[in-house]
Amino acid sequence: MPATTTKPAEQAKSVAKTSYKIGVIGGDGTGPEVVREGLKVLNAVTKKHGFKLEFVNYDLGGERYMKSGEILPDSVVPELRKLDAIFLGAIGHPDVKPGILEKGLLLRLRFELDQYINLRPVKLYPNVETPLANKKPEDIDFVVVRENTEGLYAGAGGFLRRGTPHEVAVQESINTRMGAERCLRYAFNLTQKRNKAKKLTLCGKTNVLTYAFDLWERAFHDVAKEFPEVKTDYAHVDATCMWMVKNPEWFDVIVTDNMFGDIITDLGAMIQGGMGIAAGGNLNPEGVSMFEPIGGSAPKYTGRNMINPLAAISAAGLMMENIGQPAAAASIENAVFNALSSGKIASLAAGKMGLTTTEVGDLIASLI
Ligand code: IPM
Ligand code: MN
């Protein structure tokens, strides 16, 4: 491949870049409102750290679909491939049947851009209320690495005799050795880099899903040989839910498949204080990654300046880390930490923050 076609992400690793092109998809519901606050904070960090972000807006989501029938025009995907990263608000519209936008936009982007890791940190900040009695910030600080391109999400399956009393519906979980292995290797690397217990827990269901998790478990132990400093651990998904509530301090990094990762990260979001603070990254370590608050579009709060933008702001922080600006990421993380420690935000729940969406964004930007 000639040097001129090197992907932006590869360039970021070899040369310290000073200018980045970020795709912005506000999307549905409260997505645009929280993205606006994320951009406000990003503008403050670029000023402080001396690099440039160029934002390219993409009008995608439920409104556009209802007006034009378009979900993700084919011409957009190649454009997105040329970006340094994508910043996404939320996908899901109350007037569009569930599944259409999720599959046609969010999942299609994850698949087409081969964002094979869904990285979801679970971290309790000071002064944030957790439903877990007697648990403190030092007890709730782990990361979930969710496989993001396979499993039940691959869309394999179908109907037989649909709509008849003899109807059959099949939904298959696709697990490839390559897919499991690249996800596991990412998780081992992350565990090694994180300065905690250096423990990686595989979350599966080897007692029932005896094909899928047999593959995962064999790959886990094979990849483990490359990481002698990392302690390996295993828990079934049901037990993982139990330990996340009872002893979250046992976890450092959890690696799991797409479906289990989806489920346990909603639980993770709740123990860290709710959807208002839970951020995630859809990563293609060799390509273009996409960052989003993991909560939905919250139609009930749309346009009311009530939604919590901290998850989107933290997602913007993950994005800075990922494009190769770790100091900017640390500034965002510290600003969120300081804002919460100061007690200026009464609650993380929408409408109960004691501040509006805009005011929370202003507060974080002022602390950068
Ligand atoms: C998430 C969401 C999505 C998922 C939905 C909206 C398709 O719940 O990002 O966790 O299931 O992955
Ligand atoms: Mn989910």
Side-chain angles (χ1 to χ4, degrees):
M1 201 195 274
T4 47
T5 60
T6 308
K7 279 194 222 147
E10 286 163 7
Q11 282 171 12
K13 273 162 207 152
S14 50
V15 203
K17 285 187 32 158
T18 54
S19 177
Y20 305 85
K21 214 167 163 180
I22 309 290
V24 178
I25 307 173
D28 298 320
T30 49
E33 287 169 66
V34 296
V35 156
R36 201 179 309 128
E37 302 314 312
L39 297 179
K40 188 186 281 175
V41 172
L42 286 174
N43 284 326
V45 287
T46 52
K47 235 176 257 156
K48 177 171 175 186
H49 294 278
F51 61 93
K52 286 201 178 69
L53 295 175
E54 183 196 335
F55 299 114
V56 189
N57 225 40
Y58 288 91
D59 169 27
L60 300 168
E63 294 294 330
R64 171 151 177 193
Y65 172 65
M66 287 190 304
K67 264 185 246 142
S68 68
E70 283 177 315
I71 301 181
L72 180 60
D74 287 335
S75 63
V76 174
V77 180
E79 274 181 48
L80 297 176
R81 283 187 207 284
K82 294 193 207 124
L83 298 168
D84 290 294
I86 301 166
F87 187 34
L88 172 71
I91 300 299
H93 195 290
D95 302 330
V96 179
K97 189 179 165 220
I100 295 185
L101 298 168
E102 291 85 346
K103 270 193 161 176
L105 191 48
L106 182 62
L107 299 181
R108 192 173 154 209
L109 285 176
R110 287 177 182 171
F111 291 164
E112 289 219 16
L113 299 175
D114 202 22
Q115 295 164 338
Y116 60 88
I117 300 296
N118 197 324
L119 186 70
R120 298 188 161 184
V122 178
K123 187 176 161 82
L124 179 65
Y125 284 96
N127 258 331
V128 170
E129 201 183 326
T130 170
L132 303 187
N134 306 321
K135 295 296 177 191
K136 312 221 152 32
E138 59 269 28
D139 300 318
I140 303 177
D141 181 9
F142 60 92
V143 180
V144 178
V145 175
R146 162 185 176 189
E147 200 290 323
N148 210 31
T149 53
E150 302 193 340
L152 283 165
Y153 280 71
F159 294 111
L160 184 63
R161 301 189 290 261
R162 186 169 185 274
T164 73
H166 296 275
E167 175 164 356
V168 180
V170 177
Q171 193 102 41
E172 289 160 320
S173 174
I174 305 296
N175 296 266
T176 72
R177 174 73 194 208
M178 179 279 293
E181 211 175 296
R182 65 183 181 174
C183 176
L184 290 162
R185 194 165 280 112
Y186 179 90
F188 272 103
N189 263 311
L190 177 70
T191 313
Q192 186 164 280
K193 271 205 312 232
R194 248 169 83 85
N195 233 351
K196 258 204 106 190
K198 298 207 186 291
K199 179 167 93 173
L200 179 62
T201 304
L202 172 66
C203 162
K205 190 74 187 172
T206 52
N207 53 348
V208 175
L209 306 181
T210 52
Y211 309 121
F213 278 98
D214 187 80
L215 183 156
W216 273 87
E217 204 177 29
R218 278 180 285 116
F220 183 61
H221 292 300
D222 286 347
V223 178
K225 292 179 195 138
E226 299 164 27
F227 299 88
E229 311 96 289
V230 175
K231 288 185 264 320
T232 55
D233 176 39
Y234 173 82
H236 294 320
V237 62
D238 44 355
T240 302
C241 292
M242 177 178 80
W243 299 127
M244 277 172 72
V245 171
K246 193 171 175 291
N247 295 98
E249 66 278 7
W250 287 356
F251 294 117
D252 179 5
V253 180
I254 299 176
V255 61
T256 191
D257 81 352
N258 210 340
M259 187 81 257
F260 292 164
D262 175 51
I263 297 166
I264 69 169
T265 53
D266 266 28
L267 176 56
M270 285 303 121
I271 68 172
Q272 72 176 127
M275 286 300 184
I277 187 79
N282 301 277
L283 312 183
N284 177 342
E286 294 86 37
V288 183
S289 302
M290 177 166 76
F291 299 83
E292 54 173 340
I294 82 171
S297 53
K300 190 165 107 180
Y301 293 108
T302 302
R304 298 174 67 187
N305 208 14
M306 280 164 90
I307 197 79
N308 187 345
L310 287 177
I313 291 170
S314 296
L318 288 177
M319 178 163 76
M320 292 303 96
E321 177 84 48
N322 190 266
I323 62 170
Q325 291 291 344
S331 288
I332 296 179
E333 160 106 22
N334 290 336
V336 171
F337 184 98
N338 292 335
L340 292 168
S341 306
S342 74
K344 284 184 187 148
I345 303 174
S347 156
L348 296 189
K352 296 188 180 141
M353 301 185 291
L355 297 172
T356 62
T357 306
T358 327
E359 284 167 343
V360 173
D362 289 341
L363 174 63
I364 303 298
S366 76
L367 292 170
I368 292 293

